[in-house]
């Protein structure tokens, strides 16, 4: 039975030692600890610490509630903005399709007008070229006639100079003079 050291002492000496614990007015150390705790709790209650803690917690709860309300309002606003953006995107897609369709229509109209203008321009240029060719033909014919007339006049002058002498001129002059005396 040597497991407990106090057992071995009592058996060897045969007496148990008692210690006297300090006390004041019959209150020992544990009693003073209990009284001290009661005093601290009394001071806490007298200073209304639980009420201050409650007020602090209520203020914190109000702050959290306000933040939650703000977050909820921001979420609602964000959802509205998202819906607006989606509607705008859908509208933009429709507008883009309409713009593309209008652009294609305008491009086809411009192409048709350009083709018509091109064919009109070709016809106008062809007419101008034909007119220039006709004018060139007339100018060439006029030049040929002028050259032919000059050649004929020169040939006639050469023939007249060759065939007409003073004797031929006399007969011509006599005929002309005799024709003057007759009225026309």
């Amino acid at each position: 039975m040597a497991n407990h050291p106090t057992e071995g002492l009592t058996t060897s000496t045969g007496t148990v030692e008692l210690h006297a614990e300090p006390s004041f007015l019959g209150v020992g150390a544990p009693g003073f600890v209990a009284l001290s705790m009661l005093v601290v709790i009394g001071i806490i209650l007298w200073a209304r610490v639980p009420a201050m803690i409650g007020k602090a917690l209520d203020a914190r709860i109000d702050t959290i509630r306000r933040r939650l309300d703000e977050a909820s309002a921001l979420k609602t606003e964000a959802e509205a903005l998202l819906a607006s953006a989606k509607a705008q995107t859908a509208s933009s897609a429709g507008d883009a399709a309409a713009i593309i369709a209008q652009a294609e229509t305008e491009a086809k109209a411009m192409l048709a007008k350009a083709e018509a203008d091109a064919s009109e321009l070709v016809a106008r240029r062809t007419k101008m070229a034909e007119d220039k060719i006709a004018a060139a033909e007339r100018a060439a014919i006029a030049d040929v006639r002028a050259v032919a007339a000059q050649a004929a006049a020169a040939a006639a002058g050469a023939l007249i100079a060759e065939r007409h002498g003073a004797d031929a001129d006399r007969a011509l002059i006599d005929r002309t003079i005799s024709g003057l005396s007759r009225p026309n």
Side-chain angles (χ1 to χ4, degrees):
M1 302 238 179
N3 290 345
H4 291 297
T6 55
E7 281 184 23
L9 284 175
T10 52
T11 47
S12 65
T13 58
T15 63
V16 176
E17 288 185 37
L18 293 176
H19 295 281
E21 293 196 15
S23 66
F24 178 74
L25 298 174
V27 179
F32 276 112
V33 170
L35 281 174
S36 299
M37 287 302 295
L38 285 175
V39 169
V40 169
I41 290 174
I43 292 172
I44 288 174
L45 291 176
W46 177 74
R48 299 181 190 245
V49 172
M52 288 191 297
I53 291 173
K55 286 181 184 178
L57 289 174
D58 288 343
R60 182 73 175 146
I61 288 169
D62 288 342
T63 304
I64 291 171
R65 251 193 211 120
R66 271 186 274 129
R67 286 184 181 172
L68 285 174
D69 291 343
E70 289 174 7
S72 175
L74 287 174
K75 179 183 175 189
T76 305
E77 184 179 339
E79 287 173 350
L81 287 174
L82 177 64
S84 172
K86 284 182 179 179
Q88 211 171 26
T89 301
S91 173
S92 296
D95 290 348
I99 290 170
I100 290 171
Q102 183 180 1
E104 288 176 352
T105 304
E106 288 178 2
K108 287 178 184 175
M110 290 172 78
L111 181 63
K113 186 176 184 320
E115 288 175 353
D117 289 348
S119 63
E120 181 182 316
L121 180 66
V122 167
R124 202 174 336 138
R125 294 279 173 110
T126 302
K127 175 72 173 144
M128 286 173 54
E130 288 173 354
D131 289 347
K132 282 184 180 180
I133 290 171
E137 284 178 358
R138 287 191 298 273
I141 290 172
D143 287 346
V144 168
R145 283 184 182 163
V147 169
Q150 285 178 351
L159 283 176
I160 289 174
E162 181 182 307
R163 290 190 184 169
H164 283 287
D167 294 331
D169 284 339
R170 269 192 213 137
L172 186 59
I173 291 173
D174 288 339
R175 263 188 295 164
T176 304
I177 292 176
S178 64
L180 287 175
S181 59
R182 285 189 283 175
N184 284 348

